[in-house]
Amino acid sequence: MLLDETPLFDPVLLQELDWSSNTISFSPAISPSNPGEGLKLRPLCTADFSRGFFKVLSQLTKTGDVTSELFIKKFDHMKKTGDYYVVVVEDTQLGQIIATATLITEHKFIHSCAKRGRVEEVVVTDACRGKQLGKLLVATLIQLSKKLDCYKTTLECAPKNVAFYEKFGYKASDETYMQCRFFD
Ligand SMILES: CC(=O)SCCNC(=O)CCNC(=O)[C@H](O)C(C)(C)COP(=O)(O)OP(=O)(O)OC[C@H]1O[C@@H](n2cnc3c(N)ncnc32)[C@H](O)[C@@H]1OP(=O)(O)O
């Protein structure tokens, strides 16, 4: 199995985002099509395995020891479902992934068979934090979830990140997040 540049989802979706309806301010101005000098915001591809994708993810949580074969298998599954939108920011000079975030669309019978978006695994490599990339990724996924007709988008985060997500209009709900954890 080979690592290649095939995108997880159609990159046109990112190019066609209506950035004029973005309500988040950026100074200096950046956008999905212009994320900054030498940077590219695009869908994940399997070649990103060799560009430090897991090094970035490991700054969020335990990633486990994932081989390229296992990564490709999971990537192919995600691509087939059509519900996984993993975006990355690549430093094209270094050929390294420096940030990533994921939107997952969940299909419902309720709300007239609507879709709900879930934002997961938002992480910017530590050396690149504070340069608006986290903000750009989340703002991009919000626009993308609107484009994909999600009726809402939700996320779970640590208390220390609540203020970050409030910038986008996320509000803590009165529902309690519960889980049964089977392994780490
Ligand atoms: C759903 C989830 O995935 S939750 C997991 C979130 N990820 C993590 O905790 C992994 C470790 N942290 C990170 O990767 C980053 O610090 C992130 C993703 C939280 C933020 O990314 P950055 O690129 O550093 O943030 P960015 O530069 O875009 O900051 C944007 C704004 O948010 C503010 N901000 C950044 N981090 C935080 C925070 N934790 N709490 C409150 N405000 C914050 C900045 O001050 C800035 O404010 P401004 O626009 O008013 O100037």
Side-chain angles (χ1 to χ4, degrees):
M1 284 192 278
L2 288 176
L3 300 168
D4 67 27
E5 308 293 331
T6 308
L8 180 61
F9 63 92
D10 188 350
V12 170
L13 279 171
L14 295 178
Q15 289 152 19
E16 284 181 348
L17 288 181
D18 177 15
W19 201 243
S20 66
S21 68
N22 163 61
T23 54
I24 311 299
S25 61
F26 291 91
S27 175
I30 54 172
S31 66
S33 55
N34 183 15
E37 176 101 33
L39 304 182
K40 192 164 184 201
L41 192 157
R42 56 167 175 77
L44 178 74
C45 64
T46 54
D48 294 333
F49 184 82
S50 309
R51 297 187 182 114
F53 177 59
F54 275 84
K55 217 171 126 190
V56 176
L57 283 180
S58 69
Q59 294 173 42
L60 176 67
T61 190
K62 288 180 200 164
T63 59
D65 200 6
V66 178
T67 60
S68 56
E69 286 76 17
L70 185 53
F71 173 65
I72 291 170
K73 215 170 147 195
K74 186 63 80 173
F75 180 97
D76 287 346
H77 171 79
M78 290 180 176
K79 190 170 169 67
K80 239 176 254 155
T81 69
D83 290 316
Y84 289 82
Y85 301 86
V86 183
V87 293
V88 293
V89 177
E90 181 188 354
D91 180 323
T92 55
Q93 267 137 31
L94 299 175
Q96 288 294 301
I97 300 305
I98 58 167
T100 183
T102 296
L103 173 73
I104 302 160
T105 52
E106 185 180 283
H107 296 263
K108 300 283 189 186
F109 286 120
I110 56 171
H111 297 291
S112 311
C113 288
K115 278 190 289 186
R116 164 208 190 144
R118 288 182 179 272
V119 171
E120 300 264 25
E121 282 100 38
V122 180
V123 49
V124 177
T125 199
D126 46 12
C128 298
R129 290 186 194 157
K131 296 179 177 174
Q132 306 190 98
L133 292 177
K135 210 163 70 168
L136 178 63
L137 286 172
V138 175
T140 298
L141 294 189
I142 289 173
Q143 293 298 324
L144 183 57
S145 56
K146 281 190 202 160
K147 186 172 174 60
L148 295 169
D149 294 326
C150 293
Y151 81 102
K152 70 173 179 183
T153 163
T154 64
L155 58 83
E156 286 102 43
C157 71
K160 68 176 164 60
N161 288 329
V162 166
F164 173 69
Y165 290 110
E166 281 175 343
K167 288 181 188 298
F168 307 91
Y170 283 99
K171 290 185 187 76
S173 80
D174 49 12
E175 288 179 15
T176 303
Y177 172 65
M178 297 175 76
Q179 59 170 318
C180 285
R181 186 176 279 260
F182 300 115
F183 57 86
D184 277 330

